[in-house]
Amino acid sequence: MIRLLNSLRLYAVAVVSTVWYAVKIVGATSLRTRNMKQVCWSGPREWCRSLLWGGGVTVEFEGLEHLDPPRPAVLVANHESWYDVFALAGHLPVDYRFVGKKELTRVPFFGPAWLACGHIPIDRSNRRAAIESLRRAGETIRRENAVVVMFPEGTRSGDGVLLPFKKGAFVLALELGVPVIPVGVSGGRDRMPKGAFLVEPGRMTVRIGPPIEVEGWTVADRDRLVAAAHREVQRLKSGLPVASGGPEDSTEP
């Protein structure tokens, strides 16, 4: 019963909050008001925090120092729950853009606001379109000095096992010469697993690892980079200590 009541509160908050912030964001970006950039900075964070609050979910961060000072990067994280997104988008202290499935653009209110703030839809069923989306992500990193957030598993893990990583995020980092920041999120599946509609209140933990530097690497090293990132995300989501001196095997090839 407590879980049901908690979930009803979440959905009530979600409806009101989504409409409020979407109208605010789309209005500011359509009219190109002077506070447009500030609205796209604060709006998504406040919206996600409202969903965390509505679901009774708190988030603890470790390793925020690895994002200071802010610089262009590709941030990769495991994905088990929608609450992984809310935890990251609600609290990351950097200018970020998410790469997400194109179906998100069709969600009423949310979709137009998401696009208006420069987040990047990707068509996973169309290789050419997916490559074009990654090209736009690269332009965003260069133009905005932003951090692009990607979930390289490509879908939510249903059982908590870290799935193999797709290579797009890592090719993008290598082509741009920007670091990969590994992130492990735990607790999301306990709050709202894949396919669930009810939310269990409780705590999540987000662990940010040292950046994997790619200076001197080429696209030919993509498999090695994928392996290094997968190993670090697994370590971080499991709560194990990060290897001394940063990710293993992230030195020059």
Side-chain angles (χ1 to χ4, degrees), residues 1-13:
M1 180 60 72
I2 293 176
R3 191 177 173 195
L4 176 60
L5 292 175
N6 183 69
S7 301
L8 290 174
R9 180 181 69 173
L10 165 65
Y11 289 118
V13 169

Side-chain angles (χ1 to χ4, degrees), residues 112-127:
W114 190 68
L115 286 174
C117 283
H119 300 285
I120 304 152
I122 188 166
D123 184 351
R124 296 177 296 182
S125 65
N126 186 321
R127 177 177 171 79

Side-chain angles (χ1 to χ4, degrees), residues 42-43 52 80 132 194 215 242 248 252:
S42 62
L52 290 164
E80 300 175 3
E132 173 61 21
K194 183 176 182 178
E215 185 177 356
V242 178
E248 298 172 8
E252 293 185 9

Side-chain angles (χ1 to χ4, degrees), residues 2-18 47-57 81-83 86 191-192 196-201:
I2 293 176
R3 191 177 173 195
L4 176 60
L5 292 175
N6 183 69
S7 301
L8 290 174
R9 180 181 69 173
L10 165 65
Y11 289 118
V13 169
V15 170
V16 175
S17 181
T18 301
W47 176 71
C48 287
R49 289 176 187 180
S50 75
L51 298 183
L52 290 164
W53 175 83
V57 178
S81 167
W82 281 117
Y83 267 86
F86 306 149
R191 309 284 70 79
M192 190 179 190
F197 294 96
L198 298 181
V199 182
E200 183 74 32

Side-chain angles (χ1 to χ4, degrees), residues 72-184:
V74 176
L75 185 152
V76 296
N78 62 296
H79 196 18
E80 300 175 3
S81 167
W82 281 117
Y83 267 86
D84 303 335
V85 179
F86 306 149
L88 291 170
H91 294 281
L92 284 176
V94 294
D95 185 15
Y96 60 71
R97 303 291 187 279
F98 276 75
V99 175
K101 58 185 181 180
K102 71 171 185 177
E103 289 81 2
L104 292 174
T105 63
R106 303 183 191 133
V107 178
F109 292 98
F110 170 85
W114 190 68
L115 286 174
C117 283
H119 300 285
I120 304 152
I122 188 166
D123 184 351
R124 296 177 296 182
S125 65
N126 186 321
R127 177 177 171 79
R128 181 174 296 179
I131 292 172
E132 173 61 21
S133 294
L134 291 176
R135 183 189 65 78
R136 293 204 311 275
E139 290 176 353
T140 298
I141 292 176
R142 291 190 187 98
R143 183 178 63 250
E144 306 290 344
N145 287 327
V147 171
V148 168
V149 181
M150 300 181 70
F151 297 104
E153 292 169 279
T155 188
R156 285 169 289 165
S157 171
D159 58 6
V161 174
L162 188 63
L163 301 173
F165 284 178
K166 298 182 183 301
K167 298 179 183 179
F170 307 98
V171 171
L172 177 64
L174 290 166
E175 288 181 342
L176 295 174
V178 300
V180 170
I181 300 176
V183 173

